[in-house]
Amino acid sequence: MGKLDLITIIIIAANVIISYKGFGDYGFFERYKFNVGAVRRGEQIRLFSSGFLHADNAHLFFNMFSLYFFADVVIDLLGVFYFIIVYIGSLLLGSLLSLYFHKEEYHYSAVGASGAVMGVIYSAILLQPGMSLYMFFIPIPIPAYIFGIGYLLYSIYGMKNRVGNIGHDAHFGGAVGGYVITLLLSPWLFETNLLMIGLLALPIVLLFGLKKAGKM
């Protein structure tokens, strides 16, 4: 963890350059951020472009710092091409889940690489479920799969109760993207990590069960 591959440098550079363009150019930011009304009018590019814009320096730093720590796990085990598929696929699925949950809220807007980064994190968890994560506020290592399940459950809570100015649905969608895409690209995981696959699927089933029951 924490190794800088060329593709990681390119993605971080793209996020920094485009985000800083958005910081200094309000028209550019408004033109390319995720906005339900604009997307439903046909501006689908926002589903992708919003993943390279950020609200502020702290938002940008946290996402790129997280990407830095987990990208090499996916690159080492899947290769650069599949890593790109995981990153972009998770970004788009995060945006699409946001659109699905907010489709009637034409004013709803969001920015950030969080969906893509969460997809990379969940891909890494599937590929190396035995690894441990360190959180800033917890001084002991947390098993990756515990973090994965806990984070998805927190995202469901955040989505249901509109906790904070955070795109919990994009985070959740990105995590689901990383989960599904990694399993499609690495079917051997069903032989080696079947229990972990099942455990990580539980929050996903819960979310869509709540949605179907009208509780989300």
Side-chain angles (χ1 to χ4, degrees):
M1 295 172 67
K3 182 178 68 177
L4 269 176
D5 292 89
L6 177 60
I7 187 60
T8 309
I9 294 173
I10 292 172
I11 290 173
I12 291 175
N15 273 275
V16 170
I17 292 169
I18 296 171
S19 291
Y20 269 85
K21 171 66 174 173
F23 293 161
D25 186 338
Y26 180 76
F28 179 86
F29 184 88
E30 288 295 308
R31 191 178 310 120
Y32 292 108
K33 71 179 183 181
F34 174 85
N35 174 265
V36 171
V39 171
R40 294 194 63 175
R41 288 194 301 270
E43 298 177 34
Q44 279 82 17
I45 186 63
R46 292 172 182 259
L47 296 171
F48 178 74
S49 61
S50 60
F52 291 88
L53 291 167
H54 288 81
D56 51 39
N57 282 311
H59 188 205
L60 173 63
F61 174 78
F62 183 78
N63 276 335
M64 296 304 99
F65 186 70
S66 301
L67 179 65
Y68 162 72
F69 270 105
F70 291 95
D72 64 296
V73 175
V74 181
I75 292 169
D76 287 346
L77 294 172
L78 293 184
V80 171
F81 181 69
Y82 282 172
F83 167 76
I84 294 171
I85 291 175
V86 169
Y87 187 90
I88 294 177
S90 299
L91 188 164
L92 292 174
L93 195 57
S95 293
L96 288 170
L97 194 70
S98 289
L99 183 63
Y100 174 67
F101 276 96
H102 299 280
K103 59 182 178 291
E104 301 304 327
E105 301 171 50
Y106 282 69
H107 66 282
Y108 182 85
S109 299
V111 293
S114 301
V117 173
M118 286 307 304
V120 171
I121 292 174
Y122 273 78
S123 178
I125 290 173
L126 272 178
L127 294 166
Q128 283 194 358
M131 68 180 179
S132 296
L133 309 179
Y134 288 85
M135 309 298 290
F136 293 117
F137 48 86
I138 302 177
I140 57 174
I142 302 172
Y145 69 93
I146 296 294
F147 170 83
I149 294 169
Y151 191 88
L152 288 189
L153 291 174
Y154 171 72
S155 292
I156 292 173
Y157 172 80
M159 292 163 67
K160 185 174 175 60
N161 295 282
R162 301 295 179 95
V163 176
N165 188 27
I166 300 172
H168 295 285
D169 32 32
H171 292 187
F172 196 101
V176 172
Y179 175 88
V180 171
I181 294 168
T182 300
L183 291 178
L184 291 174
L185 297 176
S186 308
W188 51 267
L189 289 170
F190 287 98
E191 299 178 8
T192 60
N193 295 330
L194 187 58
L195 176 60
M196 202 60 59
I197 290 170
L199 288 174
L200 287 172
L202 292 177
I204 300 172
V205 173
L206 174 62
L207 172 67
F208 289 102
L210 289 171
K211 179 66 174 175
K212 186 173 182 179
K215 297 182 179 180
M216 291 292 293

